[in-house]
Amino acid sequence: MIIRILEYWAPLLLWLITIFSFSTDAFSKVETSRIIVPILTFFFPFLSPHEIEVWHAVIRKCAHVTEYSILAVLAYRTMRLDRTDLNRIRLRTVVFVFLAALFDEFHQRFTASRGPSISDVGNDCLGGLSALWVIATYETWRLRSRSVL
C-alpha cells in the first residue's frame, strides 16, 4: 500500500505542487521575461521588441500546455491503477485536469502580479487532452499490434 502511494500518488502530488508554484509571482510575466527575453534576443537578434514579446507569450502558453500534459499523464497513470474501464478513466482524468486548472487560476487571483484567465484554463485543458489523445493512440496501436500476433 505504501509503495503504491509512493509510486503513483507521490509523483502526481509533487507535480501539482510544482504547477501551483509556477502560479506564484516568481513565475509572472515580468519575472520570466528576465530569462526568456535575453535568450530570445541572443538567438534571434533580428526580431523587433514587439516580436520578442509575442514569442515570450507563446513560450509561456506552451509551458501551460506542457505542464498540464504531464499532469494528465501522471493522473491517468494513477487513476488506471485499479480500474479497467478506459473510457471512465479518461473522463476522470479530464475532469481532474480541468479542476486542477480551475484551482490554479483561482490561486493566481491571490497573487500580486498575476490574475486568473479562462484562456489559460483552455490551454491547460488542451495540454491534458492532447496527452490523453497520445495515450489513447498508443494504447490502440499496442492492442492492434498484439492482436495481429
Side-chain angles (χ1 to χ4, degrees), residues 32-44 52:
T32 59
S33 70
R34 294 179 184 174
I35 297 168
I36 296 172
V37 169
I39 291 171
L40 287 171
T41 305
F42 177 78
F43 284 109
F44 306 102
I52 294 286

Side-chain angles (χ1 to χ4, degrees), residues 4 9 15 20-21 31 40-41 48 51 54 56 67 79 86 93 102 116 122:
R4 270 192 164 168
W9 285 99
W15 191 247
F20 293 139
S21 72
E31 295 299 323
L40 287 171
T41 305
S48 71
E51 291 171 323
V54 167
H56 179 223
E67 65 193 53
M79 292 183 192
L86 294 180
T93 302
L102 282 177

Side-chain angles (χ1 to χ4, degrees), residues 3-13 15 69-83 86 89-90 92-94 96-97 131-132 135 139:
I3 292 174
R4 270 192 164 168
I5 290 171
L6 290 175
E7 188 175 348
Y8 290 91
W9 285 99
L12 178 61
L13 294 175
W15 191 247
S69 293
I70 294 168
L71 179 66
V73 169
L74 293 172
Y76 181 82
R77 178 178 173 263
T78 301
M79 292 183 192
R80 188 160 182 217
L81 191 57
D82 292 322
R83 294 183 176 83
L86 294 180
I89 295 166
R90 290 178 188 134
R92 287 182 180 180
T93 302
V94 168
F96 181 83
V97 168
L132 286 174
I135 290 169
E139 287 176 338

